[in-house]
Amino acid sequence: AHVQHIDPGAQAVRQARQAIRKARRERPGARLIVTGCAAQIDPAAFAAMPEVDLVLGNVEKAQPGALNDASARVRVNDIMSVRETAGHLIDGLRDRARAFVQVQNGCDHRCTFCIIPYGRGNSRSVPLGPIVAETRALVAAGYNEIVLTGVDVTSYGADLPGKPSLGSMAAR
């Protein structure tokens, strides 16, 4: 029997390219901005599409004014150089039943078929202070359920002074 391997990453990129073309057909005057892991990993492929107006990397998309900045058509950094996490996410939670607190991002593993480290960068943890402050603010805003998020949350703390564990962070 012949077994065919289907690369889910390639499939996702193909679907993204189809969606971009469809969006341009349906909204010819709209400004099309591509961002996310596929744009981070292969910005040139999306920049080569005539339908695309702007390509933003995973860090650049969170910068104030990024969508209106016309300084360059492609703005994607070296994701492996990033040391920060996304503390700005708390403002996007209004009118939701549960809140999400990012405690970790990126991954240090280099699994054979996984492209995540190249889209999200190396593992980096949010220090305890900002996590506690963000959680307190969310509880004060009325959230009863808070979900801790990350790409590889089990690696939480390995890059922080004192190497706090996920369990000690959650207990705090």
Side-chain angles (χ1 to χ4, degrees):
H2 175 70
V3 177
Q4 181 180 359
H5 172 71
I6 297 173
D7 178 358
Q11 182 79 358
V13 170
R14 185 182 64 76
Q15 290 173 346
R17 293 172 67 81
Q18 286 177 339
I20 290 165
R21 288 186 199 98
K22 181 179 179 185
R24 178 56 72 210
R25 281 192 309 272
E26 292 177 356
R27 305 273 312 270
R31 188 163 178 240
L32 275 172
I33 301 169
V34 179
T35 189
C37 291
Q40 178 70 48
I41 293 163
D42 192 2
F46 291 102
M49 295 181 71
E51 298 88 353
V52 174
D53 295 308
L54 177 63
V55 180
L56 292 176
N58 276 332
V59 172
E60 290 75 13
K61 70 182 177 185
Q63 294 172 342
L67 302 180
N68 298 320
D69 182 355
S71 64
R73 187 168 172 260
V74 178
R75 291 196 309 277
V76 178
N77 73 343
D78 171 13
I79 197 71
M80 296 304 179
S81 69
V82 177
R83 300 286 174 254
E84 300 81 28
T85 52
H88 66 282
L89 294 176
I90 191 169
D91 294 330
L93 296 173
R94 289 176 187 38
D95 303 323
R96 299 203 179 236
R98 69 174 57 124
F100 297 85
V101 174
Q102 184 185 68
V103 299
Q104 184 275 338
N105 200 350
C107 186
D108 289 337
H109 305 291
R110 297 299 184 261
C111 301
T112 305
F113 292 105
C114 184
I115 196 119
I116 287 174
Y118 306 100
R120 296 290 181 95
N122 291 319
S123 181
R124 53 207 184 273
S125 305
V126 178
L128 288 172
I131 292 171
V132 170
E134 188 172 335
T135 302
R136 285 185 177 147
L138 291 166
V139 169
Y143 291 97
N144 294 318
E145 182 178 350
I146 296 174
V147 178
L148 304 178
T149 68
V151 171
D152 180 22
V153 293
T154 60
S155 72
Y156 177 83
D159 59 322
L160 295 176
K163 301 193 183 311
S165 69
L166 180 62
S168 68
M169 179 269 297
R172 176 103 189 263

